[in-house]
Amino acid sequence: MPGATSWSTSRSQPLRAPLPWHLRVREMLATYLPLLLMGVLALGTWWLVKNTPSAEPQRGAAAPRAEPDYTMQNFVVERFDKDGRLKARIQGEQLRHYADTDRIEIDQARVRAVAADGRATLAQARRAITNGDGSELQLLGDARINSTGPRGEPIEFRGEFLHAFLNTERVRSHLPVLVVRDGSEFRATGMDYDHLAGLLQLQGQMRALLLPSNGAARPPAPSGAMPAKKGP
């Protein structure tokens, strides 16, 4: 009707009662538990990766050192063959072994080597250098070797440097030497002695003092000089 006021009525929604606290906790756990588990799993994976020992890189062989790996003072070393026979006796004031080249250096060296036939050779020098197996011996400074020749005659080598090869029974030098053999003296600027072949090769300028059969020494002749002829 005109002038009449119309009224509209709306039905209000009923209020929901709050859930008990234990149900709310269960609902929250159901919602966030997967996220918590993923976080714990990620944290555990990170901890394992961090604390797992890594494989050590392969180490190469240690670089050889230039200083001696061991020394000996006032020593005596003896070497024997497989049958127990003495092959060499080495003594000196100090011994130094170098692992980089497997060499041995000896101060005030004294060496006595015995050949297979029992012949003894004596060597000495202010300093000696030998290889690991003892097959080579370098003598430096006031070097001297005393032995016997192929016929059993005494033979001696002197110089500032002598290189002895014990297995092949050779002695060499590229520096001035004095060779005394059966009383005769030979001086040269180098030499190569082969005991097994019974051969002595003198190199460079040479002077000799030969001992004749009557025992009287003849004066030395310069290298290359021809002996003087006697008149009729």
Side-chain angles (χ1 to χ4, degrees):
M1 292 182 65
T5 302
S6 63
W7 300 85
S8 63
T9 60
S10 61
R11 185 177 294 178
S12 61
Q13 298 292 332
L15 296 175
R16 185 179 178 183
L19 295 174
W21 68 271
H22 63 277
L23 295 178
R24 292 199 303 270
V25 171
R26 182 183 298 176
E27 185 177 355
M28 291 178 61
L29 289 176
T31 303
Y32 296 105
L33 184 59
L35 296 177
L36 291 175
L37 291 177
M38 292 180 62
V40 172
L41 182 61
L43 182 62
T45 303
W46 172 83
W47 183 87
L48 286 175
V49 172
K50 184 177 181 181
N51 291 276
T52 299
S54 58
E56 294 185 359
Q58 295 183 353
R59 297 181 180 179
R65 299 181 303 173
E67 64 269 13
D69 56 349
Y70 69 83
T71 61
M72 298 173 61
Q73 306 289 335
N74 298 319
F75 68 95
V76 176
V77 176
E78 293 182 340
R79 292 181 175 176
F80 300 85
D81 61 14
K82 61 181 181 180
D83 297 324
R85 291 188 296 265
L86 180 66
K87 289 186 62 177
R89 187 177 190 271
I90 306 173
Q91 66 183 91
E93 292 184 356
Q94 185 183 64
L95 178 148
R96 299 175 295 277
H97 177 265
Y98 295 86
D100 56 343
T101 56
D102 192 23
R103 77 181 188 277
I104 297 174
E105 294 185 359
I106 304 169
D107 295 338
Q108 300 300 327
R110 302 290 184 271
V111 180
R112 183 177 187 271
V114 182
D117 57 2
R119 180 175 44 87
T121 298
L122 305 178
Q124 65 182 47
R126 289 195 297 267
R127 180 166 166 257
I129 301 175
T130 180
N131 54 351
D133 61 2
S135 60
E136 295 185 25
L137 178 66
Q138 298 183 52
L139 303 171
L140 301 93
D142 195 18
R144 181 178 299 183
I145 296 178
N146 294 84
S147 187
T148 54
R151 301 187 305 274
E153 74 280 11
I155 185 170
E156 180 180 4
F157 307 94
R158 301 179 193 174
E160 288 302 304
F161 174 78
L162 296 173
H163 193 168
F165 301 83
L166 302 183
N167 290 345
T168 57
E169 301 190 37
R170 302 186 69 149
V171 179
R172 295 175 179 173
S173 180
H174 63 285
L175 296 180
V177 293
L178 167 65
V179 181
V180 181
R181 185 172 185 177
D182 200 17
S184 299
E185 295 184 0
F186 306 88
R187 298 179 184 271
T189 56
M191 65 103 185
D192 186 346
Y193 172 69
D194 186 343
H195 174 79
L196 298 180
L199 181 62
L200 172 63
Q201 295 181 351
L202 299 175
Q203 302 163 357
Q205 187 176 3
M206 183 188 70
R207 294 177 64 89
L209 178 61
L210 302 178
L211 185 65
S213 57
N214 59 7
R218 289 183 291 182
S223 175
M226 296 296 293
K229 294 184 178 180
K230 295 182 180 181

